[in-house]
Amino acid sequence: DVKVTQSSRYLVKRTGEKVFLECVQDMDHENMFWYRQDPGLGLRLIYFSYDVKMKEKGDIPEGYSVSREKKERFSLILESASTNQTSMYLCASTAAGQYEQYFGPGTRLTVT
Amino acid sequence: DAKTTQPPSMDCAEGRAANLPCNHSTISGNEYVYWYRQIHSQGPQYIIHGLKNNETNEMASLIITEDRKSSTLILPHATLRDTAVYYCIVIHSGNTPLVFGKGTRLSVIA
């Protein structure tokens, strides 16, 4: 079974802190994605990556950066957390040419 | 990517078939119809996808109209564990970013 794991299920951080959200997949997938999910807004794409050291901006990249140093790991970084970044963050991965994306369980981040 | 329209919510009695509709009237010839679902507090889960023909797997069936402007996801014998938000997505390829709408909240009732 494909496994996509995220470093924390719940996280509480203070405004201005630097926050790292980690995502690891164990199936050698080339493609990885970060989404955030907010009530009434659905899932929105933040960043994605088609290969190691590659990254592409999604629909809402402002305030975020990413790192993909190894194929299995895709990190989302909030350089200076703000309250409007309180959200559920979801990571997904898929292999090139594969049909389905596999999602992690999500990290519920609260910024106070 | 084509936009989709789904009803915001539906109820289904346990053991009965759940039929979830989706309109995608602007779909282009090389776009697939995908269905995902999200159970509360979990990440989305792939269910099924199709291009032109009807498809069936162990989870569900997908019926696509001949003009491809709409489709229906069928859960043949809904259980309480099928209570979730179901998303219909139209995309060129499964490994590109997904664009989620608001989906249909299906409640399976005992």
Side-chain angles (χ1 to χ4, degrees):
Chain A
D1 266 2
V2 175
K3 209 68 183 270
V4 180
T5 56
Q6 296 184 229
S7 47
S8 308
R9 286 303 305 269
Y10 300 94
L11 206 54
V12 180
K13 295 292 182 182
R14 294 197 180 274
T15 302
E17 278 193 80
K18 190 168 186 175
V19 181
F20 292 87
L21 303 181
E22 304 286 344
C23 175
V24 178
Q25 48 88 9
D26 65 358
M27 284 300 291
D28 203 36
H29 285 170
E30 291 81 8
N31 310 319
M32 298 188 74
F33 308 86
W34 273 107
Y35 301 86
R36 65 176 278 180
Q37 184 171 30
D38 302 287
L41 295 176
L43 279 86
R44 293 178 291 167
L45 180 68
I46 306 172
Y47 266 98
F48 58 105
S49 169
Y50 286 140
D51 204 347
V52 175
K53 297 201 186 290
M54 291 182 64
K55 60 185 179 184
E56 300 282 344
K57 291 182 180 179
D59 299 320
I60 50 163
E62 296 78 19
Y64 303 94
S65 62
V66 289
S67 172
R68 184 112 183 256
E69 295 296 317
K70 293 186 177 181
K71 193 175 186 180
E72 68 270 19
R73 186 181 297 269
F74 192 35
S75 304
L76 181 69
I77 304 156
L78 286 66
E79 295 290 343
S80 177
S82 64
T83 54
N84 63 12
Q85 292 178 310
T86 290
S87 186
M88 168 72 89
Y89 289 88
L90 290 155
C91 174
S93 75
T94 186
Q98 192 171 38
Y99 293 117
E100 57 195 276
Q101 289 190 19
Y102 297 88
F103 282 80
T107 295
R108 187 166 293 282
L109 172 68
T110 302
V111 182
T112 60
Chain B
D1 290 327
K3 292 202 173 161
T4 61
T5 304
Q6 299 177 254
S9 64
M10 292 180 64
D11 292 338
C12 178
E14 189 178 20
R16 304 296 292 267
N19 296 283
L20 292 94
C22 179
N23 284 322
H24 32 78
S25 58
T26 60
I27 191 170
S28 63
N30 58 354
E31 286 183 313
Y32 291 81
V33 180
Y34 275 72
W35 283 83
Y36 280 75
R37 73 178 183 184
Q38 188 173 21
I39 295 169
H40 183 63
S41 296
Q42 296 183 22
Q45 176 192 22
Y46 165 84
I47 302 172
I48 198 167
H49 76 280
L51 183 64
K52 293 181 184 177
N53 300 320
N54 298 338
E55 302 286 345
T56 295
N57 63 20
E58 65 278 4
M59 288 182 70
S61 295
L62 174 60
I63 308 298
I64 302 174
T65 58
E66 195 168 338
D67 63 8
R68 303 209 325 122
K69 292 185 177 182
S70 66
S71 59
T72 301
L73 178 75
I74 301 172
L75 308 178
H77 305 286
T79 70
L80 298 177
R81 287 192 299 272
D82 292 321
T83 292
V85 179
Y86 287 77
Y87 297 97
C88 170
I89 300 167
V90 174
I91 47 175
H92 287 100
S93 166
N95 57 13
T96 55
L98 300 174
V99 179
F100 286 81
K102 297 191 176 173
T104 295
R105 184 173 297 278
L106 175 69
S107 299
V108 180
I109 303 164

